[in-house]
Amino acid sequence: MTLSKKPYRGTRDFFPTDKRKRDYLFNAMSQTAELFGYESYDGPLLEEVDLYRAKSGEELINEQIYSFTDRGEREVAIRPEMTPTLARMVAQIHKVETKPIRWYAIPNLMRYEKPQRGRLREHWQFNVDIFGAPEHAGEIEILQVAVTLMKKLGATSEHFEILLNDRRVVDALFKQAMGANDEQALKLYKIVDAAKKIGSDGVNKKVAELSLPANALEIFNKYLAVTSFEGLGNLLKEYKQDEASQSLLQFTQKLELMNLSDFVKFDPAVVRGLDYYTGVVFEIFDKHPDNRRALCGGGAYANLLKIFNEEPVAGIGFGLGDVTMTDFLETHGLMPNFDVANNDLLIAPLDEQAMAKSQLLAQSLREEGVKVVCALEPIKLKKAFPMAEKKGASFVAFIGANEIENELLPIKNLKEKSQQEFKMSDIKEIAKHLLPEG
Ligand code: HAM
């Protein structure tokens, strides 16, 4: 049998060029989270399946989870998302930890999905979550983190938008105004989710099947037609949902105050598939017509700690995927070029006698922080330049009998096509010349 060289379906090999892109993203992610005082955490790759059964929702459990029975007859799963692990960890320490708790992680997750553009079976997801923050303040900060990352990666409100909704507001309409019970409200969420796909006839048919009071369908359709926070506020007022309307107004005023309203837009279709969300929910969408998909999803979940018999501690956060983010940056031409490695200097020994001197010099320069690639056998001038280019080195130094005898090191600057000579023992001077500024 010949073994396939391809990675398992829906997973990726990261060759150096791909890995450089991933490192670029991950660095931007951690730097952004740390700018806001979020601390890095991590958890195990495997969890008991019950952890996801509690609150992650049917689709994840029935269709997407990778699970197996271990040698001790326990049913375990590869993590399909990070939030349940995070909640389990926070449940252990929330009583002694000062609030708010601000944490971030970049775990790899696995979901059994049909691989396609933007959807794979393994992806990495930047998770940023805050626990125990005052109402609205946590939501605003989490949105600020997301926007700061997008800006750091070169994106503006021309490239992306944040589509936002509030499950409490939707619940007020569905339950109070339309008279739905908990179960019917859940079904209404699913209809909202499918509305674009099934069209208005499909929506009417599905709502009729729920046997709600006579005016329910009219309210539901009015809700689906809302396109702004203002419109939603009016609808809430029309159906006497004053408390929800007040809270929405206060939240949108804060968005305005924090300069977030350029990015954030109301969307009735965003209700999120995971069962644990209880308040604000949002998705970051690519505005490019070739890539209309969510880069990120998140929201507020007030009760997740209850599954561990702990008192509720309000959590808010998001997950932003590396696959969708890479597509986004590439679609908009925002991904820097990572085709070649990033080094400072190539040292090219011209003969066998220069080998030891070259390696010693390389080592001294590395101690000064210079990224040095040293050829490991004598190399001809002609071959050294393409090698330097391939290694992404902007400088080349040749060492032969003359250089060793005179204790001098000529360094060629490949970009400027110039040459400068240094005393070979002047390591600090040489390093200063080679290191990029700053
Ligand atoms: P989610 O909406 O399932 O939320 O995933 C968040 C993001 O991860 C998506 O918008 C997408 O960019 C990416 N993603 C999800 N599945 C895949 C996949 N199969 N392939 C590629 N990318 C994918 C959650 O997972 C929540 N736990 C996020 C969260 C954190 N909510 C609060 N805190």
Side-chain angles (χ1 to χ4, degrees):
M1 185 185 73
T2 320
L3 280 177
S4 166
K5 288 181 212 150
K6 294 267 178 254
Y8 167 67
R9 188 167 148 80
T11 69
R12 288 161 290 169
D13 292 325
F14 289 86
F15 288 96
T17 299
D18 311 307
K19 184 62 170 33
R20 282 191 282 274
K21 284 186 196 167
R22 197 177 99 183
D23 290 345
Y24 166 72
L25 280 186
F26 286 13
N27 286 338
M29 289 167 176
S30 347
Q31 281 167 12
T32 304
E34 286 176 17
L35 279 178
F36 285 79
Y38 285 65
E39 295 174 75
S40 170
Y41 72 97
D42 209 345
L45 190 67
L46 293 179
E47 291 277 8
E48 298 209 17
V49 176
D50 280 345
L51 182 65
Y52 306 107
R53 263 196 201 112
K55 279 271 179 198
S56 291
E58 278 172 21
E59 192 191 11
L60 204 98
I61 285 293
N62 296 343
E63 292 164 31
Q64 298 181 337
I65 208 151
Y66 277 86
S67 58
F68 61 94
T69 308
D70 75 5
R71 288 164 201 271
E73 298 298 314
R74 278 170 294 264
E75 231 192 312
V76 290
I78 301 178
R79 57 188 176 194
E81 59 155 335
M82 196 60 173
T83 314
T85 300
L86 168 67
R88 189 176 58 64
M89 288 169 67
V90 170
Q92 295 171 52
I93 51 91
H94 73 99
K95 287 204 179 92
V96 293
E97 196 76 17
T98 317
K99 312 264 182 343
I101 298 168
R102 293 179 169 96
W103 286 1
Y104 80 93
I106 315 176
N108 54 337
L109 311 172
M110 291 205 70
R111 299 181 188 181
Y112 194 80
E113 300 211 51
K114 187 159 170 260
Q116 54 192 288
R117 183 172 163 88
R119 280 272 171 278
L120 294 179
R121 291 189 173 162
E122 182 184 44
H123 77 285
W124 272 255
Q125 199 188 78
F126 180 40
N127 275 252
V128 182
D129 291 85
I130 185 165
F131 283 84
E135 164 115 54
H136 290 176
E139 283 84 344
I140 296 283
E141 184 170 289
I142 283 294
L143 290 170
Q144 283 178 317
V145 176
V147 169
T148 305
L149 173 66
M150 298 302 287
K151 284 185 171 170
K152 193 177 180 67
L153 294 169
T156 67
S157 56
E158 270 177 36
H159 304 112
F160 74 95
E161 59 191 352
I162 303 180
L163 304 181
L164 186 137
N165 199 348
D166 190 330
R167 280 199 173 188
R168 282 166 306 191
V169 169
V170 185
D171 267 346
L173 274 176
F174 290 0
K175 293 186 182 164
Q176 263 81 272
M178 290 169 57
N181 59 29
D182 286 354
E183 202 184 312
Q184 289 165 325
L186 216 63
K187 290 194 175 139
L188 287 169
Y189 273 119
K190 304 268 177 256
I191 304 175
V192 170
D193 223 14
K196 279 185 193 145
K197 240 189 261 160
I198 60 179
S200 65
D201 286 350
V203 167
N204 293 353
K205 191 169 157 256
K206 284 207 173 295
V207 176
E209 279 166 14
L210 296 180
S211 314
L212 292 164
N215 65 343
L217 181 60
E218 186 192 327
I219 305 176
F220 191 72
N221 278 322
K222 277 187 188 168
Y223 164 75
L224 283 183
V226 173
T227 55
S228 64
F229 287 115
E230 203 190 348
L232 182 65
N234 292 340
L235 186 67
L236 288 167
K237 270 191 227 135
E238 186 182 336
Y239 291 97
K240 315 245 166 333
Q241 300 305 314
D242 293 336
E243 204 181 312
S245 149
Q246 246 346 79
S247 162
L248 181 75
L249 183 68
Q250 283 168 4
F251 185 62
T252 51
Q253 282 168 344
K254 283 181 188 150
L255 288 176
E256 185 93 33
L257 195 67
M258 293 294 130
N259 302 324
L260 286 167
S261 37
D262 276 355
F263 300 99
V264 182
K265 212 179 119 197
F266 171 72
D267 189 330
V270 171
V271 284
R272 308 274 300 133
L274 297 155
D275 284 354
Y276 44 72
Y277 294 112
T278 52
V280 164
V281 282
F282 64 92
E283 290 186 342
I284 301 186
F285 257 79
D286 191 338
K287 281 188 171 176
H288 199 290
D290 294 351
N291 200 42
R292 277 302 283 167
R293 60 183 69 242
L295 314 175
C296 165
Y301 42 98
N303 301 322
L304 202 43
L305 262 55
K306 276 199 198 161
I307 64 174
F308 307 102
N309 272 338
E310 293 289 323
E311 69 211 43
V313 183
I316 307 143
F318 66 78
L320 183 147
D322 71 322
V323 181
T324 41
M325 192 64 197
T326 304
D327 286 348
F328 169 80
L329 293 177
E330 288 179 344
T331 305
H332 292 281
L334 295 171
M335 181 67 90
N337 187 330
F338 290 109
D339 287 350
V340 289
N342 173 20
N343 287 295
D344 300 313
L345 173 71
L346 172 75
I347 295 188
L350 294 172
D351 51 40
E352 223 22 87
Q353 286 69 29
M355 283 308 305
K357 187 75 192 165
S358 298
Q359 284 188 300
L360 280 170
L361 179 73
Q363 197 48 26
S364 308
L365 287 169
R366 288 176 191 133
E367 279 163 23
E368 297 299 319
V370 183
K371 290 190 225 159
V372 187
V373 177
C374 186
L376 295 179
E377 53 192 354
I379 182 169
K380 299 230 161 48
L381 286 175
K382 218 172 48 205
K383 290 213 168 142
F385 293 112
M387 184 191 270
E389 203 175 308
K390 192 144 193 284
K391 298 287 171 198
S394 339
F395 296 92
V396 184
F398 292 98
I399 304 187
N402 275 349
E403 285 73 24
I404 293 177
E405 195 186 320
N406 302 329
E407 279 277 311
L408 285 175
L409 186 71
I411 297 181
K412 289 191 193 301
N413 183 330
L414 299 184
K415 275 188 203 133
E416 291 171 14
K417 306 217 179 319
S418 59
Q419 179 169 313
Q420 201 168 327
E421 208 163 56
F422 293 85
K423 261 173 74 184
M424 221 181 272
S425 55
D426 242 348
I427 297 297
K428 288 210 188 301
E429 267 310 297
I430 301 175
K432 221 167 95 191
H433 179 67
L434 297 173
L435 284 173
E437 278 181 35

PDB file of all heavy atoms in Angstrom, residues 45-53 65-80:
ATOM      1  N   LEU A  45      -6.530  19.335  24.598  1.00  0.00           N
ATOM      2  CA  LEU A  45      -7.109  19.080  23.273  1.00  0.00           C
ATOM      3  C   LEU A  45      -8.369  18.217  23.401  1.00  0.00           C
ATOM      4  O   LEU A  45      -9.287  18.311  22.593  1.00  0.00           O
ATOM      5  CB  LEU A  45      -6.058  18.345  22.433  1.00  0.00           C
ATOM      6  CG  LEU A  45      -6.327  18.164  20.974  1.00  0.00           C
ATOM      7  CD1 LEU A  45      -6.319  19.507  20.274  1.00  0.00           C
ATOM      8  CD2 LEU A  45      -5.249  17.266  20.353  1.00  0.00           C
ATOM      9  N   LEU A  46      -8.384  17.362  24.423  1.00  0.00           N
ATOM     10  CA  LEU A  46      -9.528  16.461  24.618  1.00  0.00           C
ATOM     11  C   LEU A  46     -10.351  16.884  25.821  1.00  0.00           C
ATOM     12  O   LEU A  46      -9.805  17.307  26.836  1.00  0.00           O
ATOM     13  CB  LEU A  46      -9.033  15.029  24.879  1.00  0.00           C
ATOM     14  CG  LEU A  46      -8.326  14.299  23.739  1.00  0.00           C
ATOM     15  CD1 LEU A  46      -7.903  12.917  24.195  1.00  0.00           C
ATOM     16  CD2 LEU A  46      -9.225  14.183  22.512  1.00  0.00           C
ATOM     17  N   GLU A  47     -11.665  16.756  25.676  1.00  0.00           N
ATOM     18  CA  GLU A  47     -12.578  17.032  26.788  1.00  0.00           C
ATOM     19  C   GLU A  47     -13.625  15.926  26.790  1.00  0.00           C
ATOM     20  O   GLU A  47     -13.838  15.262  25.773  1.00  0.00           O
ATOM     21  CB  GLU A  47     -13.303  18.372  26.582  1.00  0.00           C
ATOM     22  CG  GLU A  47     -12.435  19.609  26.686  1.00  0.00           C
ATOM     23  CD  GLU A  47     -12.204  20.089  28.115  1.00  0.00           C
ATOM     24  OE1 GLU A  47     -12.591  19.381  29.082  1.00  0.00           O
ATOM     25  OE2 GLU A  47     -11.618  21.170  28.264  1.00  0.00           O
ATOM     26  N   GLU A  48     -14.316  15.742  27.915  1.00  0.00           N
ATOM     27  CA  GLU A  48     -15.414  14.778  27.908  1.00  0.00           C
ATOM     28  C   GLU A  48     -16.555  15.341  27.053  1.00  0.00           C
ATOM     29  O   GLU A  48     -16.850  16.534  27.112  1.00  0.00           O
ATOM     30  CB  GLU A  48     -15.867  14.510  29.341  1.00  0.00           C
ATOM     31  CG  GLU A  48     -14.723  13.903  30.125  1.00  0.00           C
ATOM     32  CD  GLU A  48     -15.144  12.983  31.247  1.00  0.00           C
ATOM     33  OE1 GLU A  48     -16.311  12.534  31.267  1.00  0.00           O
ATOM     34  OE2 GLU A  48     -14.288  12.735  32.112  1.00  0.00           O
ATOM     35  N   VAL A  49     -17.206  14.477  26.286  1.00  0.00           N
ATOM     36  CA  VAL A  49     -18.244  14.937  25.353  1.00  0.00           C
ATOM     37  C   VAL A  49     -19.356  15.697  26.084  1.00  0.00           C
ATOM     38  O   VAL A  49     -19.918  16.660  25.567  1.00  0.00           O
ATOM     39  CB  VAL A  49     -18.835  13.746  24.565  1.00  0.00           C
ATOM     40  CG1 VAL A  49     -19.978  14.203  23.674  1.00  0.00           C
ATOM     41  CG2 VAL A  49     -17.771  13.092  23.705  1.00  0.00           C
ATOM     42  N   ASP A  50     -19.630  15.280  27.321  1.00  0.00           N
ATOM     43  CA  ASP A  50     -20.709  15.919  28.089  1.00  0.00           C
ATOM     44  C   ASP A  50     -20.518  17.434  28.219  1.00  0.00           C
ATOM     45  O   ASP A  50     -21.495  18.169  28.341  1.00  0.00           O
ATOM     46  CB  ASP A  50     -20.787  15.309  29.496  1.00  0.00           C
ATOM     47  CG  ASP A  50     -21.528  13.983  29.448  1.00  0.00           C
ATOM     48  OD1 ASP A  50     -22.199  13.723  28.425  1.00  0.00           O
ATOM     49  OD2 ASP A  50     -21.425  13.212  30.419  1.00  0.00           O
ATOM     50  N   LEU A  51     -19.278  17.866  28.209  1.00  0.00           N
ATOM     51  CA  LEU A  51     -19.018  19.302  28.340  1.00  0.00           C
ATOM     52  C   LEU A  51     -19.689  20.073  27.201  1.00  0.00           C
ATOM     53  O   LEU A  51     -20.184  21.176  27.389  1.00  0.00           O
ATOM     54  CB  LEU A  51     -17.508  19.558  28.324  1.00  0.00           C
ATOM     55  CG  LEU A  51     -17.065  21.009  28.492  1.00  0.00           C
ATOM     56  CD1 LEU A  51     -17.429  21.545  29.873  1.00  0.00           C
ATOM     57  CD2 LEU A  51     -15.561  21.146  28.276  1.00  0.00           C
ATOM     58  N   TYR A  52     -19.699  19.465  26.015  1.00  0.00           N
ATOM     59  CA  TYR A  52     -20.313  20.146  24.858  1.00  0.00           C
ATOM     60  C   TYR A  52     -21.810  19.864  24.788  1.00  0.00           C
ATOM     61  O   TYR A  52     -22.567  20.679  24.281  1.00  0.00           O
ATOM     62  CB  TYR A  52     -19.622  19.719  23.557  1.00  0.00           C
ATOM     63  CG  TYR A  52     -18.139  19.926  23.640  1.00  0.00           C
ATOM     64  CD1 TYR A  52     -17.263  18.845  23.777  1.00  0.00           C
ATOM     65  CD2 TYR A  52     -17.605  21.215  23.645  1.00  0.00           C
ATOM     66  CE1 TYR A  52     -15.900  19.044  23.901  1.00  0.00           C
ATOM     67  CE2 TYR A  52     -16.244  21.418  23.770  1.00  0.00           C
ATOM     68  CZ  TYR A  52     -15.397  20.339  23.897  1.00  0.00           C
ATOM     69  OH  TYR A  52     -14.052  20.536  24.025  1.00  0.00           O
ATOM     70  N   ARG A  53     -22.194  18.680  25.313  1.00  0.00           N
ATOM     71  CA  ARG A  53     -23.636  18.352  25.293  1.00  0.00           C
ATOM     72  C   ARG A  53     -24.427  19.389  26.070  1.00  0.00           C
ATOM     73  O   ARG A  53     -25.542  19.721  25.710  1.00  0.00           O
ATOM     74  CB  ARG A  53     -23.858  16.984  25.955  1.00  0.00           C
ATOM     75  CG  ARG A  53     -23.945  15.917  24.941  1.00  0.00           C
ATOM     76  CD  ARG A  53     -24.527  14.630  25.445  1.00  0.00           C
ATOM     77  NE  ARG A  53     -24.067  13.619  24.518  1.00  0.00           N
ATOM     78  CZ  ARG A  53     -23.209  12.660  24.806  1.00  0.00           C
ATOM     79  NH1 ARG A  53     -22.744  12.522  26.031  1.00  0.00           N
ATOM     80  NH2 ARG A  53     -22.834  11.801  23.885  1.00  0.00           N
ATOM     81  N   ILE A  65     -18.875  16.905  15.851  1.00  0.00           N
ATOM     82  CA  ILE A  65     -17.865  16.583  16.860  1.00  0.00           C
ATOM     83  C   ILE A  65     -17.045  15.344  16.485  1.00  0.00           C
ATOM     84  O   ILE A  65     -17.548  14.405  15.886  1.00  0.00           O
ATOM     85  CB  ILE A  65     -18.552  16.422  18.236  1.00  0.00           C
ATOM     86  CG1 ILE A  65     -17.593  16.778  19.335  1.00  0.00           C
ATOM     87  CG2 ILE A  65     -19.124  15.035  18.427  1.00  0.00           C
ATOM     88  CD1 ILE A  65     -18.274  17.316  20.546  1.00  0.00           C
ATOM     89  N   TYR A  66     -15.753  15.392  16.760  1.00  0.00           N
ATOM     90  CA  TYR A  66     -14.881  14.223  16.636  1.00  0.00           C
ATOM     91  C   TYR A  66     -14.835  13.572  18.010  1.00  0.00           C
ATOM     92  O   TYR A  66     -14.234  14.133  18.924  1.00  0.00           O
ATOM     93  CB  TYR A  66     -13.456  14.655  16.281  1.00  0.00           C
ATOM     94  CG  TYR A  66     -13.234  14.900  14.820  1.00  0.00           C
ATOM     95  CD1 TYR A  66     -13.518  16.138  14.260  1.00  0.00           C
ATOM     96  CD2 TYR A  66     -12.720  13.897  14.004  1.00  0.00           C
ATOM     97  CE1 TYR A  66     -13.297  16.368  12.912  1.00  0.00           C
ATOM     98  CE2 TYR A  66     -12.500  14.118  12.655  1.00  0.00           C
ATOM     99  CZ  TYR A  66     -12.794  15.349  12.115  1.00  0.00           C
ATOM    100  OH  TYR A  66     -12.575  15.575  10.785  1.00  0.00           O
ATOM    101  N   SER A  67     -15.491  12.442  18.156  1.00  0.00           N
ATOM    102  CA  SER A  67     -15.493  11.843  19.487  1.00  0.00           C
ATOM    103  C   SER A  67     -15.134  10.374  19.422  1.00  0.00           C
ATOM    104  O   SER A  67     -15.281   9.740  18.378  1.00  0.00           O
ATOM    105  CB  SER A  67     -16.856  12.034  20.147  1.00  0.00           C
ATOM    106  OG  SER A  67     -17.845  11.451  19.348  1.00  0.00           O
ATOM    107  N   PHE A  68     -14.666   9.842  20.514  1.00  0.00           N
ATOM    108  CA  PHE A  68     -14.361   8.414  20.601  1.00  0.00           C
ATOM    109  C   PHE A  68     -14.414   7.971  22.059  1.00  0.00           C
ATOM    110  O   PHE A  68     -14.445   8.820  22.962  1.00  0.00           O
ATOM    111  CB  PHE A  68     -12.988   8.096  19.987  1.00  0.00           C
ATOM    112  CG  PHE A  68     -11.836   8.781  20.669  1.00  0.00           C
ATOM    113  CD1 PHE A  68     -11.128   8.138  21.682  1.00  0.00           C
ATOM    114  CD2 PHE A  68     -11.436  10.062  20.290  1.00  0.00           C
ATOM    115  CE1 PHE A  68     -10.051   8.766  22.314  1.00  0.00           C
ATOM    116  CE2 PHE A  68     -10.361  10.694  20.917  1.00  0.00           C
ATOM    117  CZ  PHE A  68      -9.669  10.045  21.923  1.00  0.00           C
ATOM    118  N   THR A  69     -14.462   6.655  22.235  1.00  0.00           N
ATOM    119  CA  THR A  69     -14.463   6.128  23.601  1.00  0.00           C
ATOM    120  C   THR A  69     -13.028   5.747  23.936  1.00  0.00           C
ATOM    121  O   THR A  69     -12.386   5.027  23.167  1.00  0.00           O
ATOM    122  CB  THR A  69     -15.373   4.888  23.682  1.00  0.00           C
ATOM    123  OG1 THR A  69     -16.628   5.264  23.122  1.00  0.00           O
ATOM    124  CG2 THR A  69     -15.575   4.421  25.098  1.00  0.00           C
ATOM    125  N   ASP A  70     -12.502   6.249  25.045  1.00  0.00           N
ATOM    126  CA  ASP A  70     -11.095   5.965  25.359  1.00  0.00           C
ATOM    127  C   ASP A  70     -10.960   4.590  26.022  1.00  0.00           C
ATOM    128  O   ASP A  70     -11.945   3.884  26.220  1.00  0.00           O
ATOM    129  CB  ASP A  70     -10.481   7.111  26.190  1.00  0.00           C
ATOM    130  CG  ASP A  70     -10.928   7.107  27.644  1.00  0.00           C
ATOM    131  OD1 ASP A  70     -11.650   6.171  28.057  1.00  0.00           O
ATOM    132  OD2 ASP A  70     -10.559   8.044  28.378  1.00  0.00           O
ATOM    133  N   ARG A  71      -9.740   4.199  26.363  1.00  0.00           N
ATOM    134  CA  ARG A  71      -9.513   2.849  26.901  1.00  0.00           C
ATOM    135  C   ARG A  71     -10.178   2.651  28.255  1.00  0.00           C
ATOM    136  O   ARG A  71     -10.328   1.539  28.736  1.00  0.00           O
ATOM    137  CB  ARG A  71      -8.011   2.586  27.022  1.00  0.00           C
ATOM    138  CG  ARG A  71      -7.361   2.381  25.685  1.00  0.00           C
ATOM    139  CD  ARG A  71      -5.845   2.504  25.790  1.00  0.00           C
ATOM    140  NE  ARG A  71      -5.271   2.796  24.493  1.00  0.00           N
ATOM    141  CZ  ARG A  71      -4.884   1.868  23.619  1.00  0.00           C
ATOM    142  NH1 ARG A  71      -4.989   0.604  23.911  1.00  0.00           N
ATOM    143  NH2 ARG A  71      -4.390   2.221  22.450  1.00  0.00           N
ATOM    144  N   GLY A  72     -10.564   3.758  28.882  1.00  0.00           N
ATOM    145  CA  GLY A  72     -11.249   3.649  30.180  1.00  0.00           C
ATOM    146  C   GLY A  72     -12.759   3.820  30.034  1.00  0.00           C
ATOM    147  O   GLY A  72     -13.425   4.169  30.997  1.00  0.00           O
ATOM    148  N   GLU A  73     -13.269   3.636  28.796  1.00  0.00           N
ATOM    149  CA  GLU A  73     -14.718   3.713  28.511  1.00  0.00           C
ATOM    150  C   GLU A  73     -15.291   5.111  28.696  1.00  0.00           C
ATOM    151  O   GLU A  73     -16.484   5.269  28.918  1.00  0.00           O
ATOM    152  CB  GLU A  73     -15.528   2.708  29.376  1.00  0.00           C
ATOM    153  CG  GLU A  73     -15.199   1.246  29.139  1.00  0.00           C
ATOM    154  CD  GLU A  73     -15.493   0.798  27.702  1.00  0.00           C
ATOM    155  OE1 GLU A  73     -16.564   1.125  27.198  1.00  0.00           O
ATOM    156  OE2 GLU A  73     -14.610   0.153  27.093  1.00  0.00           O
ATOM    157  N   ARG A  74     -14.437   6.147  28.678  1.00  0.00           N
ATOM    158  CA  ARG A  74     -14.973   7.510  28.754  1.00  0.00           C
ATOM    159  C   ARG A  74     -15.194   8.035  27.345  1.00  0.00           C
ATOM    160  O   ARG A  74     -14.376   7.775  26.458  1.00  0.00           O
ATOM    161  CB  ARG A  74     -14.004   8.432  29.486  1.00  0.00           C
ATOM    162  CG  ARG A  74     -14.091   8.367  30.989  1.00  0.00           C
ATOM    163  CD  ARG A  74     -12.928   9.120  31.600  1.00  0.00           C
ATOM    164  NE  ARG A  74     -11.672   8.443  31.294  1.00  0.00           N
ATOM    165  CZ  ARG A  74     -11.066   7.590  32.111  1.00  0.00           C
ATOM    166  NH1 ARG A  74     -11.564   7.354  33.315  1.00  0.00           N
ATOM    167  NH2 ARG A  74      -9.942   6.986  31.746  1.00  0.00           N
ATOM    168  N   GLU A  75     -16.295   8.764  27.170  1.00  0.00           N
ATOM    169  CA  GLU A  75     -16.569   9.338  25.857  1.00  0.00           C
ATOM    170  C   GLU A  75     -15.879  10.704  25.787  1.00  0.00           C
ATOM    171  O   GLU A  75     -16.230  11.612  26.555  1.00  0.00           O
ATOM    172  CB  GLU A  75     -18.078   9.532  25.727  1.00  0.00           C
ATOM    173  CG  GLU A  75     -18.642   8.930  24.457  1.00  0.00           C
ATOM    174  CD  GLU A  75     -20.055   9.408  24.237  1.00  0.00           C
ATOM    175  OE1 GLU A  75     -20.850   9.352  25.192  1.00  0.00           O
ATOM    176  OE2 GLU A  75     -20.339   9.861  23.131  1.00  0.00           O
ATOM    177  N   VAL A  76     -14.894  10.808  24.904  1.00  0.00           N
ATOM    178  CA  VAL A  76     -14.149  12.072  24.834  1.00  0.00           C
ATOM    179  C   VAL A  76     -14.217  12.669  23.425  1.00  0.00           C
ATOM    180  O   VAL A  76     -14.538  11.971  22.463  1.00  0.00           O
ATOM    181  CB  VAL A  76     -12.664  11.893  25.243  1.00  0.00           C
ATOM    182  CG1 VAL A  76     -12.527  11.615  26.715  1.00  0.00           C
ATOM    183  CG2 VAL A  76     -12.001  10.800  24.425  1.00  0.00           C
ATOM    184  N   ALA A  77     -13.927  13.969  23.342  1.00  0.00           N
ATOM    185  CA  ALA A  77     -13.993  14.658  22.048  1.00  0.00           C
ATOM    186  C   ALA A  77     -12.791  15.563  21.882  1.00  0.00           C
ATOM    187  O   ALA A  77     -12.273  16.110  22.864  1.00  0.00           O
ATOM    188  CB  ALA A  77     -15.263  15.504  21.979  1.00  0.00           C
ATOM    189  N   ILE A  78     -12.354  15.712  20.622  1.00  0.00           N
ATOM    190  CA  ILE A  78     -11.368  16.755  20.314  1.00  0.00           C
ATOM    191  C   ILE A  78     -12.128  18.072  20.375  1.00  0.00           C
ATOM    192  O   ILE A  78     -13.236  18.168  19.822  1.00  0.00           O
ATOM    193  CB  ILE A  78     -10.774  16.570  18.906  1.00  0.00           C
ATOM    194  CG1 ILE A  78     -10.111  15.198  18.805  1.00  0.00           C
ATOM    195  CG2 ILE A  78      -9.801  17.700  18.580  1.00  0.00           C
ATOM    196  CD1 ILE A  78      -9.538  14.889  17.430  1.00  0.00           C
ATOM    197  N   ARG A  79     -11.553  19.073  21.015  1.00  0.00           N
ATOM    198  CA  ARG A  79     -12.328  20.319  21.210  1.00  0.00           C
ATOM    199  C   ARG A  79     -12.788  20.914  19.870  1.00  0.00           C
ATOM    200  O   ARG A  79     -11.963  21.156  18.985  1.00  0.00           O
ATOM    201  CB  ARG A  79     -11.511  21.333  22.009  1.00  0.00           C
ATOM    202  CG  ARG A  79     -10.192  21.664  21.370  1.00  0.00           C
ATOM    203  CD  ARG A  79      -9.303  22.513  22.265  1.00  0.00           C
ATOM    204  NE  ARG A  79      -8.023  22.710  21.604  1.00  0.00           N
ATOM    205  CZ  ARG A  79      -6.931  23.174  22.185  1.00  0.00           C
ATOM    206  NH1 ARG A  79      -6.945  23.500  23.466  1.00  0.00           N
ATOM    207  NH2 ARG A  79      -5.819  23.336  21.506  1.00  0.00           N
ATOM    208  N   PRO A  80     -14.113  21.128  19.733  1.00  0.00           N
ATOM    209  CA  PRO A  80     -14.626  21.781  18.521  1.00  0.00           C
ATOM    210  C   PRO A  80     -14.709  23.297  18.712  1.00  0.00           C
ATOM    211  O   PRO A  80     -14.894  24.052  17.762  1.00  0.00           O
ATOM    212  CB  PRO A  80     -16.036  21.205  18.382  1.00  0.00           C
ATOM    213  CG  PRO A  80     -16.444  20.859  19.775  1.00  0.00           C
ATOM    214  CD  PRO A  80     -15.199  20.591  20.582  1.00  0.00           C
TER     215      PRO A  80
END
